Amino acid sequence: MSHDPAAQPVFVLVRPQMGENIGAAARAMWNFGLDAMRLVSPRDGWPNPASVAMASGAGRLLDEARLCKTTADALADMDFTFATTARPRGLTKDVYTPEAAMQAARDRIAAGQRVAVLFGPERAGLENDDVARANAIISVPVNPAFPSLNLAQCVLLTGYEWRRASEEAPAVAQELAGTEWANGDEREHLALHFEDRLGEAGFFFPEAKEEGMKQNLRNMWSRMPLTRADVQMLHGMLRQMVRWKERG
Amino acid sequence: MSHDPAAQPVFVLVRPQMGENIGAAARAMWNFGLDAMRLVSPRDGWPNPASVAMASGAGRLLDEARLCKTTADALADMDFTFATTARPRGLTKDVYTPEAAMQAARDRIAAGQRVAVLFGPERAGLENDDVARANAIISVPVNPAFPSLNLAQCVLLTGYEWRRASEEAPAVAQELAGTEWANGDEREHLALHFEDRLGEAGFFFPEAKEEGMKQNLRNMWSRMPLTRADVQMLHGMLRQMVRWKERG
């Protein structure tokens, strides 16, 4: 199995709480040959001795983990992001089983894309703001009466499905080849550009609805299969509207 | 989901050591709707308060677990038994992936058979004597350089595959229920609205490029999985930009 970081999905732990769980997640990843981990502002700081103690044998993943301030930072160089959630909450994004998600990840990676999977903090799971930055959802088909997977278990099942998917011959989806898709950084800049100008224009009104409106907008951008050219066109449209205004 | 003990595989923990791990195994099982557990001479006796503490929410499985003296006792009423082992050791038995094993279990159970899965003690795994009582082997395809699955993780992956085998969930579920997708007419009005306002704003410039630019824009709208709410938001964004301009 290749350990080329570009040839595997990046697992992003968002605001993990217990150091032990970060270590357990590292072990779970390495069980299935995955070693590209990113951490978004772990609660107890970084590095964390409790993580190292728990990771025994997979400590290298912690040493090499990239520490990021925000989910957006962690996804800046990603082309496609899955968010793991216990219960998909009307986000109008495709909901994948872990198997289908890792098959899709394999195909995208084979086509040269970079793929991330977001895992939320232990108690609360991912926030809507994090999910809004993902292109699709992974939901593990658990017993609805007892959906109690912990962080490392969720990482384990996803890693297991990655290994199952990647050990087969990769089937490259033809439609992906040759298209330059916008990456996370480009999407982020697009989202910010619209947020800023629409904010100036008074679109996010009343204030009580501002957060929800911004989330809807984020969700829309991340659900769209935007090419690099689309992103440039959308920037251009917005710039032209502003120029139009400024001409008076 | 049926809780008929005959309609699911029985998970047999053979000589488990730490009570916590028995509790964690119970949780892992119940996550996937499995609740038929048997215990072969747990090291620290039975019942075990440490198991109960760990099992929170799945304690019923422990209350109902059948305590057995030997592996043979635990399998007395079984028709077919899988043994989980990290590395199959020349036992001349069929070695199944967890997926294939749970598909086979589903088929056997549907045919009226009773199926068990043996899980070994934490450190050493199953002894040859235990494996000799099994009809086939389950081996999880882990990283050969780091095969460190613990008891509850092995139970988790097997339970996950049981649920996958016994419940045909759609691999990729679009959230169609509750999502109203924009229809052709709504897309057309959106495209025209943007064309008109962007035209007034001078976006389609120079004139020689106008047709191509409009086509790119049309292509983008038609490639996007737009909901009715997205379309309304996009109309609203554009209207607000125009209002902003008109306020001067």
Side-chain angles (χ1 to χ4, degrees):
Chain A
M1 176 164 312
S2 166
H3 297 142
D4 174 6
Q8 60 175 305
V10 174
F11 279 18
V12 182
L13 310 192
V14 180
R15 296 182 300 280
Q17 302 180 322
M18 304 277 289
E20 288 81 354
N21 294 333
I22 303 171
R27 289 177 63 89
M29 286 175 64
W30 189 225
N31 261 302
F32 297 110
L34 290 163
D35 60 4
M37 178 190 266
R38 294 183 184 179
L39 296 165
V40 177
S41 54
R43 185 190 65 185
D44 299 338
W46 196 254
N48 182 332
S51 301
V52 177
M54 181 60 103
S56 67
R60 182 176 61 78
L61 275 73
L62 303 179
D63 299 338
E64 297 171 3
R66 186 191 298 182
L67 187 63
C68 307
K69 278 217 179 100
T70 66
T71 303
D73 289 346
L75 300 180
D77 56 342
M78 291 293 132
D79 297 299
F80 197 90
T81 299
F82 290 100
T84 55
T85 72
R87 270 164 283 203
R89 293 155 290 191
L91 293 159
T92 61
K93 293 181 187 183
D94 288 347
V95 179
Y96 287 65
T97 62
E99 180 185 34
M102 291 301 99
Q103 287 169 347
R106 171 201 61 199
D107 294 346
R108 287 181 179 275
I109 286 168
Q113 294 196 22
R114 304 209 65 189
V115 174
V117 184
L118 297 178
F119 298 90
E122 289 92 330
R123 282 188 185 277
L126 290 169
E127 289 178 11
N128 286 345
D129 250 21
D130 303 310
V131 177
R133 288 197 160 74
N135 306 101
I137 306 290
I138 298 177
S139 185
V140 180
V142 287
N143 177 2
F146 191 68
S148 83
L149 290 182
N150 66 33
L151 173 58
Q153 287 174 323
C154 193
V155 168
L156 184 83
L157 291 172
T158 310
Y160 165 78
E161 287 292 6
W162 165 256
R163 187 155 183 114
R164 292 211 314 125
S166 59
E167 280 187 341
E168 301 161 20
V172 183
Q174 288 302 314
E175 53 197 318
L176 293 175
T179 303
E180 283 193 72
W181 298 101
N183 66 21
D185 198 37
E186 289 159 340
R187 286 170 176 281
E188 179 69 17
H189 276 95
L190 180 71
L192 286 175
H193 188 190
F194 270 78
E195 262 181 37
D196 286 353
R197 292 294 168 272
L198 289 169
E200 292 175 52
F203 177 67
F204 301 112
F205 182 86
E207 211 178 304
K209 289 199 175 168
E210 177 169 345
E211 273 316 298
M213 290 175 81
K214 284 184 177 172
Q215 232 164 50
N216 289 344
L217 192 54
R218 290 269 175 169
N219 273 325
M220 186 188 74
W221 295 132
S222 56
R223 190 155 32 74
M224 301 296 153
L226 293 167
T227 64
R228 197 157 280 175
D230 290 336
V231 167
Q232 282 163 3
M233 180 167 59
L234 287 161
H235 277 300
M237 285 161 55
L238 189 58
R239 264 187 235 111
Q240 189 62 31
M241 294 300 288
V242 172
R243 253 183 243 125
W244 189 36
K245 171 200 160 53
E246 284 168 354
R247 277 201 315 266
Chain B
M1 174 167 313
S2 166
H3 297 143
D4 173 7
Q8 60 176 304
V10 175
F11 279 19
V12 183
L13 310 193
V14 179
R15 295 181 302 281
Q17 301 180 321
M18 304 277 287
E20 288 82 352
N21 294 333
I22 302 171
R27 288 176 66 88
M29 287 175 63
W30 189 224
N31 262 301
F32 296 110
L34 290 162
D35 59 2
M37 178 189 266
R38 295 184 184 181
L39 296 165
V40 176
S41 54
R43 185 190 64 185
D44 299 337
W46 197 254
N48 182 332
S51 301
V52 177
M54 181 60 102
S56 66
R60 182 176 61 80
L61 276 72
L62 303 179
D63 300 338
E64 296 171 4
R66 185 190 299 182
L67 188 63
C68 308
K69 278 213 179 106
T70 66
T71 304
D73 289 346
L75 301 180
D77 56 343
M78 291 293 134
D79 297 300
F80 196 91
T81 299
F82 290 100
T84 56
T85 73
R87 270 164 285 202
R89 290 155 292 191
L91 293 158
T92 61
K93 293 184 186 181
D94 288 347
V95 179
Y96 287 65
T97 62
E99 180 185 33
M102 290 302 100
Q103 288 169 347
R106 173 200 59 199
D107 296 345
R108 287 181 178 276
I109 286 168
Q113 294 194 22
R114 305 210 62 189
V115 173
V117 183
L118 298 178
F119 298 88
E122 289 91 328
R123 281 187 186 280
L126 290 168
E127 289 179 9
N128 285 346
D129 250 19
D130 303 309
V131 178
R133 290 199 158 72
N135 305 101
I137 306 291
I138 298 176
S139 184
V140 180
V142 286
N143 178 2
F146 191 68
S148 83
L149 290 182
N150 66 32
L151 173 57
Q153 287 175 323
C154 193
V155 167
L156 184 83
L157 291 172
T158 310
Y160 166 77
E161 287 292 7
W162 165 256
R163 187 156 182 111
R164 292 213 313 125
S166 58
E167 266 203 357
E168 295 286 321
V172 182
Q174 288 197 335
E175 290 208 334
L176 286 172
T179 300
E180 289 189 67
W181 298 101
N183 64 22
D185 196 41
E186 289 160 337
R187 288 171 173 280
E188 180 67 19
H189 277 96
L190 181 71
L192 285 175
H193 188 188
F194 270 79
E195 262 182 35
D196 288 352
R197 292 294 167 272
L198 288 168
E200 292 175 50
F203 178 67
F204 301 112
F205 181 86
E207 212 179 302
K209 288 198 176 170
E210 178 169 344
E211 271 318 296
M213 290 174 82
K214 284 184 178 172
Q215 230 162 53
N216 289 343
L217 192 54
R218 290 271 176 170
N219 274 328
M220 187 186 74
W221 295 131
S222 58
R223 191 154 34 75
M224 302 296 154
L226 292 168
T227 64
R228 196 158 282 175
D230 290 336
V231 168
Q232 281 161 3
M233 179 167 61
L234 288 161
H235 278 299
M237 285 161 54
L238 190 57
R239 265 186 235 113
Q240 189 62 31
M241 294 301 288
V242 172
R243 253 182 244 128
W244 190 37
K245 171 201 160 50
E246 286 170 353
R247 277 202 314 267

